[in-house]
Amino acid sequence: DTEVTQTPKHLVMGMTNKKSLKCEQHMGHRAMYWYKQKAKKPPELMFVYSYEKLSINESVPSRFSPECPNSSLLNLHLHALQPEDSALYLCASSQGAFEKLFFGSGTQLSVL
Amino acid sequence: GQQLNQSPQSMFIQEGEDVSMNCTSSSIFNTWLWYKQDPGEGPVLLIALYKAGELTSNGRLTAQFGITRKDSFLNISASIPSDVGIYFCAGRPGGGTSYGKLTFGQGTILTVHP
C-alpha cells in the first residue's frame, strides 16, 4: 500500500474562515510533508515533520499552522487566508527525510 | 538554493512516438526521482535512481542517473494518449548532509495527439 489520503478534495473558504486539511498514511513512514503547488508549477515545500516533530518550516506565514497528532496523521490548519493562497495543497510521506516521496492527490483550495 | 534545469518545457508529439526529457544541475545529486502529474491530482512516482550510471525501467519508461551525478534522463517509448501530463524531475543533493532537501525541476508538459 503506497497510498497517502488527503481530505477534502476541494475546499472553498472566505478570508475570515478557519478550516483544516487532513492527511493520512499507513506505510509506517517517519517523515511527512506539506507542499503548495500553483498550476503548471513544481511543488513548493512548506513544512516537514520528522518523527512527529516539525523539522523544517520554509518561512511559511503564520496563517498556515501544521500539526502532527501521530505518526500517521498530518493536519494543516488554515486561518485568515488571502486569495493568493489559492492553490493545490499536497501532502507527502517518505520513509526517511527526502527519500522517495509519495504524494496524496491534494486539496484544491480556493480563497474568496 | 539548488537549481534544476528541466527540458524541454513542453512537447507535442504523435501517438506512437518516443519521448525524451532531461534535468541538469550545477551541483552533485545522490538521488533522482521522476514523477508524473495529471491535472488536479498529486504527483505519482515513476522511477527512483540512486547510483551514478544507473539505468532503470518501468514498463515503457526508462530513466538514467547521469555518470557525472549532475543530470538525469527520462525516456518514454511508443507514447499513448494516457501519457499526457506534466513530468517533474526531483533531485536530492549529496556531498554533505544526508537530509538535503528535494529540489524539483520546472516540469515538462507532454501532449500526445492520437
Side-chain angles (χ1 to χ4, degrees):
Chain A
D1 182 10
T2 57
E3 190 171 303
V4 176
T5 303
Q6 286 189 245
T7 56
K9 179 73 172 171
H10 302 276
L11 180 62
V12 179
M13 59 186 292
M15 289 189 284
T16 59
N17 292 158
K18 287 185 181 181
K19 297 287 185 183
S20 296
L21 309 185
K22 297 186 182 299
C23 176
E24 188 170 7
Q25 59 89 11
H26 293 289
M27 295 178 277
H29 287 172
R30 309 311 298 190
M32 297 186 75
Y33 313 77
W34 282 113
Y35 281 84
K36 173 183 176 181
Q37 187 180 30
K38 293 284 195 177
K40 298 186 179 180
K41 297 293 186 183
E44 299 172 18
L45 183 65
M46 300 175 72
F47 302 104
V48 181
Y49 274 82
S50 182
Y51 290 88
E52 302 170 42
K53 295 192 185 307
L54 183 65
S55 60
I56 295 177
N57 176 342
E58 291 285 277
S59 302
V60 178
S62 60
R63 57 186 184 269
F64 296 91
S65 175
E67 178 195 21
C68 189
N70 60 54
S71 61
S72 299
L73 295 175
L74 187 66
N75 298 322
L76 185 63
H77 303 298
L78 314 173
H79 174 54
L81 295 193
Q82 304 297 310
E84 59 264 29
D85 296 323
S86 298
L88 182 67
Y89 287 84
L90 295 164
C91 174
S93 70
S94 64
Q95 182 61 42
F98 294 107
E99 294 180 356
K100 285 192 297 187
L101 266 65
F102 293 90
F103 286 88
S105 57
T107 294
Q108 187 66 55
L109 174 68
S110 296
V111 182
L112 304 178
Chain B
Q2 303 288 340
Q3 295 287 333
L4 275 186
N5 296 312
Q6 184 171 350
S7 65
Q9 287 187 316
S10 61
M11 301 183 73
F12 298 84
I13 63 170
Q14 291 293 128
E15 183 177 358
E17 290 183 0
D18 296 344
V19 172
S20 291
M21 60 190 77
N22 69 85
C23 278
T24 60
S25 168
S26 57
S27 305
I28 290 174
F29 279 20
N30 64 8
T31 300
W32 286 98
L33 306 173
W34 284 93
Y35 289 90
K36 182 196 176 204
Q37 187 171 22
D38 292 328
E41 298 292 330
V44 174
L45 182 65
L46 299 173
I47 293 178
L49 303 161
Y50 301 105
K51 289 173 57 176
E54 181 180 356
L55 187 70
T56 298
S57 294
N58 178 5
R60 293 177 296 104
L61 279 62
T62 301
Q64 184 162 23
F65 194 138
I67 58 172
T68 66
R69 296 175 64 193
K70 294 183 178 180
D71 55 11
S72 180
F73 306 85
L74 176 70
N75 296 314
I76 305 173
S77 62
S79 59
I80 59 178
S82 60
D83 290 333
V84 165
I86 303 180
Y87 291 80
F88 290 104
C89 64
R92 178 179 165 184
T97 173
S98 62
Y99 292 98
K101 298 176 193 175
L102 210 57
T103 299
F104 282 84
Q106 292 301 304
T108 294
I109 301 172
L110 179 63
T111 303
V112 180
H113 295 288

